[in-house]
Amino acid sequence: MDIPAKPWPTGLSEQCEPLVRRVLAPNPSPYTFTGTQTYIVGAGSEVAVIDPGPADGSIGSEPSPFKGADTNGVGHVEAILAAVGDAKITAILCTHTHRDHSPAAAPLKALTGAPIIGCAPLSLNDDGPRADSAFDHGYAPDRILTDGERISGPDWTIEAVATPGHTSNHLCYSLTQSGALFTGDHVMAWSTSVVSPPDGDMSAYMASLQKLYDRDDKRLYPAHGPAVDKPRQLVRGMLGHRRSREAQILRLLSEGPQAIPAMVAVMYKGLDPRLTGAAGRSVLAHLVDLEQQGRVRCEGDIWISAA
């Protein structure tokens, strides 16, 4: 999907449906599309905030070729507060703890007193090139939600939907009043989700996709990119895409032992060079899944068919 022309509505409150508003963070990149979308749920005196986004532009002290994945978020907390207006924030929810999603939870809590609720904490160092942000080591939830747990406000009820795969702690959130589902990075219309081992798990991701396919959500609100009005059609296509990638890998290995960079060159022709590392992580995720099934094996950096 092409990135829409500027200007993007950064920092503005956009009404998506009666109980949902969206505020775009100023962190666009080839990996975040136009930026992280923070959602405000509720039209009355109490609201919830989903994925408050990045708090600043830092990734850490070490140089990173993917620094653009967590660019300047200064001012996004102020934009959220302006969109909320006189309403009280009673819950700050994070779908997962990549640094383009959760760091603004802490300053938002400090300013409003709202509890941080949702996914479990997870702090891991990167294990290779990523197409998304590093993990948020400072994330500290006041309450962790499990699959099916609910929180409510005067005019809204949000239910947690566990969707591990992109990360092991990933949650989606269902708005029961409208049938909307906030999908974080699990499902996006503009791009496939990155599944990067060791925390990213392709088997879990496929199971989570099937879980969404079996649901009856009316609309999906991803953290990046446009809303999705035909959820089952999109998810069916994503399941097919992943199965196709797996079949590609097995065909390549049937021709002889392969290293991941060589497989990426064949499988992702015309890929933006900045995304080569991310493609390699997704290939690795498929290989790890196939290895667990006993269909491939690894010798050093070389993968071999076990057929």
Side-chain angles (χ1 to χ4, degrees):
M1 180 179 291
D2 293 333
I3 296 179
K6 293 182 179 180
W8 302 321
T10 306
L12 301 179
S13 177
E14 296 182 284
Q15 195 79 40
C16 302
E17 59 180 73
L19 292 177
V20 179
R21 287 166 283 166
R22 173 175 55 203
V23 181
L24 178 65
N27 63 329
S29 78
Y31 321 108
T32 60
F33 202 56
T34 56
T36 301
Q37 295 171 145
T38 296
Y39 293 97
I40 300 167
V41 178
S45 60
E46 296 180 3
V47 300
V49 173
I50 298 176
D51 277 344
D56 57 47
S58 64
I59 277 185
S61 59
E62 296 299 320
S64 169
F66 293 96
K67 192 154 188 171
D70 191 25
T71 52
N72 182 23
V74 174
H76 186 55
V77 169
E78 289 80 0
I80 293 170
L81 292 173
V84 168
D86 294 332
K88 179 182 180 181
I89 300 175
T90 57
I92 302 167
L93 299 114
C94 298
T95 58
H96 63 298
T97 49
H98 279 159
R99 291 189 65 184
D100 57 330
H101 288 258
S102 60
L108 192 59
K109 175 184 175 179
L111 289 167
T112 66
I116 299 171
I117 300 172
C119 68
L122 179 66
S123 294
L124 297 176
N125 292 323
D126 283 354
D127 187 49
R130 307 189 65 92
D132 47 14
S133 289
F135 288 95
D136 174 11
H137 295 261
Y139 174 74
D142 298 290
R143 177 184 169 190
I144 296 170
L145 295 180
T146 59
D147 189 46
E149 280 196 89
R150 292 184 171 190
I151 61 171
S152 297
D155 58 354
W156 52 268
T157 300
I158 291 173
E159 180 176 312
V161 181
T163 49
H166 173 65
T167 59
S168 60
N169 65 345
H170 197 287
L171 294 177
C172 294
Y173 298 107
S174 171
L175 177 59
T176 63
Q177 282 76 11
S178 71
L181 186 72
F182 302 91
T183 59
D185 282 358
H186 180 60
V187 171
M188 300 175 286
W190 80 282
S191 173
T192 56
S193 182
V194 175
V195 180
S196 180
D199 184 63
D201 185 301
M202 187 60 69
S203 178
Y205 182 71
M206 293 293 284
S208 293
L209 282 180
Q210 186 64 49
K211 181 177 183 177
L212 259 59
Y213 183 74
D214 293 339
R215 290 173 56 85
D216 189 30
D217 300 302
K218 302 298 186 292
R219 174 177 260 206
L220 307 182
Y221 289 114
H224 310 281
V228 177
D229 291 321
K230 296 180 179 179
R232 296 187 85 240
Q233 178 177 311
L234 175 68
V235 174
R236 182 173 62 246
M238 297 180 78
L239 283 163
H241 171 75
R242 292 295 185 179
R243 290 170 183 143
S244 176
R245 287 296 190 205
E246 180 182 278
Q248 278 184 294
I249 290 169
L250 291 171
R251 281 198 301 271
L252 285 171
L253 293 182
S254 72
E255 298 170 1
Q258 302 275 348
I260 289 176
M263 284 190 275
V264 169
V266 173
M267 295 170 62
Y268 295 85
K269 294 187 184 298
L271 181 69
D272 184 330
R274 293 171 294 181
L275 301 179
T276 300
R281 302 306 296 173
S282 286
V283 171
L284 175 61
H286 277 292
L287 287 165
V288 170
D289 184 28
L290 290 167
E291 184 180 37
Q292 291 170 348
Q293 299 174 37
R295 302 174 73 182
V296 306
R297 69 179 193 273
C298 182
E299 295 182 2
D301 292 332
I302 302 300
W303 290 86
I304 301 167
S305 173

